[in-house]
Amino acid sequence: METFILFLGQQWMLVGALLVCVMMLVFHDSKRAGASLSPQAAVKLINQEDALVVDLREAKDFKAGHIVNAINIPYNSFDKRKAELAKYKDKPLILVCRLGQHSGAIGKKLAADGFSGVRRMKGGMMEWQAQQLPLVKD
């Protein structure tokens, strides 16, 4: 512990830069709309509250395997097709993409449109598949 304190005193610029980076990461993550949830929490939300899963991947990836009863609205065409979600405004929505990167931006757009129950699945479909959860193939 004593050497750690000595290191902090000698390398205060590096420690300060590390703290700034961590704060920027936390700030960036907080800007994303919608709480993030694990695949297990998503399954629970789907089963208990009849949440709607919105898959943001391309149609070919969606057809290769998706979550049961998910609807596919690709990220690139979301602005044109977001009107399809208007009837689900009061229903919990779970946004899923390949790695969990695009769902934050879409969640922000949906929150601006008045959707209150928007959530993002951490790790996206890659995490879902890594945990060997079931997929439906078209």
Side-chain angles (χ1 to χ4, degrees), residues 112-138:
D113 289 343
F115 287 82
S116 58
V118 178
R119 294 167 179 88
R120 304 175 282 121
M121 190 165 71
K122 280 190 282 190
M125 288 304 292
M126 296 299 285
E127 183 66 24
W128 183 274
Q129 291 171 336
Q131 294 187 17
Q132 299 178 350
L133 293 167
L135 292 175
V136 175
K137 296 182 181 184
D138 289 338

Side-chain angles (χ1 to χ4, degrees), residues 52 54 71-74 77-89 93 110 115:
L52 175 68
V54 180
I71 62 170
N72 182 231
I73 301 178
S77 60
F78 185 82
D79 290 332
K80 297 175 203 162
R81 294 184 54 194
K82 70 179 175 181
E84 296 174 27
L85 296 175
K87 58 186 170 188
Y88 303 110
K89 214 168 203 172
L93 295 178
L110 289 173
F115 287 82

Side-chain angles (χ1 to χ4, degrees), residues 13 37 91 105 117:
M13 289 179 69
L37 64 150
K91 192 173 184 175

Side-chain angles (χ1 to χ4, degrees), residues 49-102:
E49 297 183 36
D50 196 31
L52 175 68
V53 177
V54 180
D55 196 320
L56 302 170
R57 298 175 300 152
E58 293 300 318
K60 66 179 177 90
D61 295 330
F62 182 78
K63 289 177 182 175
H66 59 87
I67 299 172
V68 177
N69 297 329
I71 62 170
N72 182 231
I73 301 178
Y75 177 77
N76 293 331
S77 60
F78 185 82
D79 290 332
K80 297 175 203 162
R81 294 184 54 194
K82 70 179 175 181
E84 296 174 27
L85 296 175
K87 58 186 170 188
Y88 303 110
K89 214 168 203 172
D90 298 326
K91 192 173 184 175
L93 295 178
I94 300 171
L95 301 175
V96 180
C97 58
R98 185 169 180 266
L99 295 170
Q101 297 171 330
H102 296 300

Side-chain angles (χ1 to χ4, degrees), residues 18-75:
L18 176 65
L19 289 175
V20 167
C21 289
V22 168
M23 289 184 344
M24 288 174 49
L25 180 65
V26 169
F27 177 74
H28 174 60
D29 198 46
S30 69
K31 289 297 230 179
R32 295 180 176 183
S36 63
L37 64 150
S38 68
Q40 292 84 9
V43 169
K44 186 177 178 181
L45 193 64
I46 292 166
N47 291 336
Q48 292 180 351
E49 297 183 36
D50 196 31
L52 175 68
V53 177
V54 180
D55 196 320
L56 302 170
R57 298 175 300 152
E58 293 300 318
K60 66 179 177 90
D61 295 330
F62 182 78
K63 289 177 182 175
H66 59 87
I67 299 172
V68 177
N69 297 329
I71 62 170
N72 182 231
I73 301 178
Y75 177 77

